Amino acid sequence: MSSRAATRNVRQTDDSSHIRATPQSAAADSPEAGARALRRGLALLDAILAGGREGLRVVDLCRVAGLERPTVYRLLATLIESGYVAPRGRFRYVTGPRLAAMPQRQASTDVAERIRPVLSRVSQACGDAAFAIVRDGPLSQCVARHVGTHPVQVLVIQVGTRQPLGVGAAGLALLAALPDATVGEIIAANAESLGQYNGMTPDRMRILVRATRERGWSVIGNHATRNVLAVGMAVSNADGEPVAGISVATTLARMPRERQQLIARVMRESVGALLPRGL
């Protein structure tokens, strides 16, 4: 074989089709080699985490993590197989579903503290209970709520409640604000459990997502809790990324269309006034 052909056969490109697991030598099984591989893998993962939603190319990962290209390809194969990293298009790599599913406890606490004044303002304005949720993988987790002044309070969830993202108004608003690919993954992950929420289906969820996007805020009733209707809205961070959802829930009788619109406006104005730079 000519040297030119040999070079062509080993050439690597920034194409995810080249990411394949490769067999390791016996020397790679030594404790020293294992520790070195772990350190390199963590360095690569740190770089991908810092890369954000747009992700990084292999050439970027080599530079940031200080690793050679063959090592980066080998580590990427393992991280992708394990779900910690995912390809974005052909050339970039982002955090994978395994990391997205990990609870972000400190982040949730920070969100709860910053969003409570918004819930208080919204609840005082409409008299009904207001709620805030964050995403926990394919689920929503309630991180804060504020009880209103109306004699009948519909406390559909409590702090700590987890349910499929989208079956409640706050979760539906957050779900609809996410990229299409992420929405599809979340609906697929929850497909088997959606039926427990008064006959919710993946198709119905997709319809609700489209309607929420067109309207700019969510409306959902009789799924998470019977005879209740709720209005929700997504809340973004300083980078414009949707990270939380807020909602107001009450009885069907107290939620005619005009009041739904009024509550949505109150939520938008409250977020704008109290969180002008986002969460």
Side-chain angles (χ1 to χ4, degrees):
M1 179 182 294
S2 69
S3 60
R4 179 178 298 176
T7 300
R8 183 169 60 250
N9 286 341
V10 300
R11 181 175 179 268
Q12 300 279 11
T13 65
D14 279 357
D15 186 336
S16 60
S17 64
H18 290 271
I19 303 296
R20 298 287 187 273
T22 56
Q24 303 297 309
S25 65
D29 293 331
S30 69
E32 294 80 6
R36 182 169 61 251
L38 178 59
R39 284 194 297 270
R40 289 174 171 177
L42 291 173
L44 190 65
L45 192 56
D46 282 341
I48 291 172
L49 285 166
R53 289 190 303 170
E54 295 305 314
L56 295 176
R57 301 168 300 167
V58 168
V59 65
D60 302 320
L61 293 171
C62 292
R63 175 177 51 80
V64 174
L67 299 172
E68 297 295 325
R69 186 178 292 245
T71 301
V72 168
Y73 276 111
R74 186 172 65 250
L75 293 171
L76 280 174
T78 300
L79 291 169
I80 290 171
E81 182 181 4
S82 303
Y84 288 100
V85 171
R88 182 179 176 86
R90 291 183 60 192
F91 303 121
R92 293 179 178 271
Y93 299 90
V94 296
T95 55
R98 192 78 175 267
L99 285 178
M102 291 182 176
Q104 304 295 318
R105 291 183 175 85
Q106 184 58 49
S108 297
T109 300
D110 293 342
V111 168
E113 290 299 321
R114 299 193 64 192
I115 211 165
R116 280 194 183 100
V118 174
L119 299 187
S120 175
R121 180 166 174 165
V122 170
S123 185
Q124 289 173 8
C126 67
D128 296 300
F131 307 84
I133 64 94
V134 295
R135 179 184 168 198
D136 183 1
L139 306 178
S140 66
Q141 178 188 0
C142 179
V143 294
R145 76 177 184 183
H146 192 283
V147 178
T149 57
H150 188 264
V152 178
Q153 292 292 298
V154 179
L155 305 179
V156 289
I157 53 177
Q158 59 185 356
V159 174
T161 296
R162 284 182 170 84
Q163 58 189 15
L165 192 69
V167 299
L172 176 58
L174 180 54
L175 178 66
L178 296 172
D180 288 343
T182 305
V183 171
E185 293 170 0
I186 290 172
I187 292 176
N190 290 329
E192 294 185 2
S193 60
L194 289 178
Q196 302 172 20
Y197 295 86
N198 199 25
M200 177 65 77
T201 66
D203 285 342
R204 173 65 175 160
M205 183 67 74
R206 283 186 279 269
I207 291 172
L208 289 170
V209 166
R210 287 196 297 270
T212 298
R213 288 174 171 176
E214 292 171 1
R215 190 188 301 109
W217 41 275
S218 65
V219 177
I220 190 169
N222 287 328
H223 281 290
T225 307
R226 290 180 181 274
N227 299 317
V228 168
L229 191 143
V231 172
M233 184 169 294
V235 182
S236 299
N237 62 14
D239 296 324
E241 300 171 335
V243 294
I246 60 174
S247 65
V248 169
T250 188
T251 61
L252 288 171
R254 278 179 58 78
M255 274 290 195
R257 185 178 299 275
E258 295 77 10
R259 193 161 188 269
Q260 296 171 24
Q261 296 169 343
L262 172 63
I263 291 174
R265 185 166 65 250
V266 169
M267 288 194 294
R268 184 179 296 107
E269 292 173 352
S270 298
V271 171
L274 299 175
L275 297 171
R277 297 180 179 82
L279 278 169

